[in-house]
């Protein structure tokens, strides 16, 4: 199978929203009047972002999900994406499963594959997504103000637990491991929530490298500081299928480390003024996504972790090594 057969068989599909898709030198997109184009790229490298033996359909899902998560964080509606792929060989079973996982998520969001590049090489997947957002309404990192509430969507930390379990560093009960592994390998981009938060959130980011590090980007872009209630944050692990975190299995500090600095969560961290509390809850309901208020933006720079009584919590959670 040659390069062009491979593209035609696994990656060329008719487009409905793009003016021109796969097959010419460029794709053509036509954003609607008054809309700005939101563009983002993310690359997944074998050994660095995924294990060589990962299910290719999950990999197809994740490669697009991490990109859609960036559109979500901007409050942009997905439109289209390109796929640059380096493959060690043309393995048809692998390509069929990869493209199945990729297109299943793409179709859920009406996001069309419009072009890309295919070469031989160590497995490497780079997707660029294009979305649209009404002029001036994109959610940025720079809009947080002192006094704003800080929220995160969904649950945090389970992806990291699954990663540590796959590395053999700990054992999770099977019900929890299955769910945690899905969080790691097939994250859910919070696109609907990002759209619902336009005009409500003051700043937003998606959590790919861990809450503390990513929230830090909002703090520096907005020139503010923050206080996080670690008692609330520690409750954000999803746990097993009944939503329980079995006691003693993961001690408090490790739980907190996973939540605060685990990475690979693809939830949204966002801020909103106190006056928007009802609007935040309405957005969460509309998007069918839970949101939890975990702290407050403060004028003083820096990030302060406190317990339920407001006392400082120590621990170097920014550099995660609690399983080392
Ligand atoms: P060019 O030589 O102009 O770079 P190519 O020969 O690499 O174009 O690709 C031919 C067509 O196939 C182009 O429209 C390109 O966008 C598309 N394409 C190549 N690889 C992929 C891929 N992995 N997924 C989707 N489209 C692809
Ligand atoms: Mg080319």
């Amino acid at each position: 199978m040659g390069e062009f057969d491979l593209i035609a068989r696994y990656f060329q599909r008719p487009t409905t929203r793009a003016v021109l898709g796969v097959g010419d030198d460029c794709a053509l997109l036509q954003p609607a009047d008054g809309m700005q184009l939101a563009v983002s790229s993310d690359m997944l490298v074998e050994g660095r972002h995924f294990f060589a033996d990962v299910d290719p359909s999950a990999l197809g899902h994740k490669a697009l999900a991490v990109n859609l998560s960036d559109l979500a964080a901007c409050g942009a509606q997905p439109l289209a994406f390109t796929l640059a792929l380096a493959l060690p060989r043309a393995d048809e079973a692998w390509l069929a499963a990869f493209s199945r996982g990729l297109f299943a998520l793409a179709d859920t969001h009406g996001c069309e594959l419009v072009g890309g590049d295919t070469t031989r090489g160590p497995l490497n997947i780079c997707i660029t997504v294009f979305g649209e957002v009404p002029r001036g309404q994109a959610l940025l990192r720079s809009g947080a103000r002192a006094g704003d509430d800080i929220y995160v969507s969904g649950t945090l930390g389970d992806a990291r637990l699954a990663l540590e379990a796959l590395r053999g560093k700990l054992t999770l009960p099977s019900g929890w491991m299955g769910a945690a592994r899905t969080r790691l390998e097939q994250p859910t981009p919070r696109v609907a929530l990002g759209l619902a938060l336009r005009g409500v959130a003051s700043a937003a980011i998606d959590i790919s490298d861990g809450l503390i590090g990513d929230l830090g980007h909002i703090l520096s872009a907005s020139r503010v500081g923050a206080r996080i209630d670690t008692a609330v944050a520690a409750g954000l692990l999803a746990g097993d299928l009944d939503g329980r975190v079995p006691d003693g299995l993961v001690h408090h500090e490790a739980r907190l480390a996973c939540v605060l600095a685990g990475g690979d969560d693809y939830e949204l961290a966002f801020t909103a003024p106190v006056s928007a509390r009802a609007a935040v809850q309405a957005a969460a309901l509309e998007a069918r996504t839970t949101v939890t208020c975990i702290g407050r933006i403060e004028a003083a720079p820096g990030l302060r972790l406190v317990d339920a009584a407001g006392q400082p919590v120590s621990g170097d959670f920014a550099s995660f090594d609690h399983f080392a």
Side-chain angles (χ1 to χ4, degrees), residues 38-94:
V39 182
S40 182
S41 292
D42 257 313
M43 180 152 64
L44 296 189
V45 177
E46 183 180 301
R48 178 96 202 136
H49 299 98
F50 59 89
F51 295 111
D53 62 351
V54 70
D55 170 10
S57 130
L59 188 59
H61 173 105
K62 184 163 181 175
L64 183 58
V66 302
N67 279 278
L68 290 174
S69 179
D70 285 310
L71 291 183
C74 274
Q77 173 76 53
L79 281 180
F81 67 105
T82 60
L83 169 67
L85 198 56
L87 295 169
R89 70 198 78 82
D91 175 339
E92 299 218 28
W94 190 94

Side-chain angles (χ1 to χ4, degrees), residues 244-259:
R244 289 178 308 127
V245 177
D247 269 343
L249 212 147
V250 180
H251 64 82
H252 179 77
E253 200 179 56
R255 273 185 210 189
L256 201 51
C258 285
V259 167

Side-chain angles (χ1 to χ4, degrees), residues 149-168:
D149 291 320
I150 302 170
Y151 298 87
V152 296
S153 65
T155 60
L156 294 178
D158 289 78
R160 181 57 182 249
L161 279 179
L163 178 65
E164 298 301 334
L166 290 174
R167 285 175 173 164

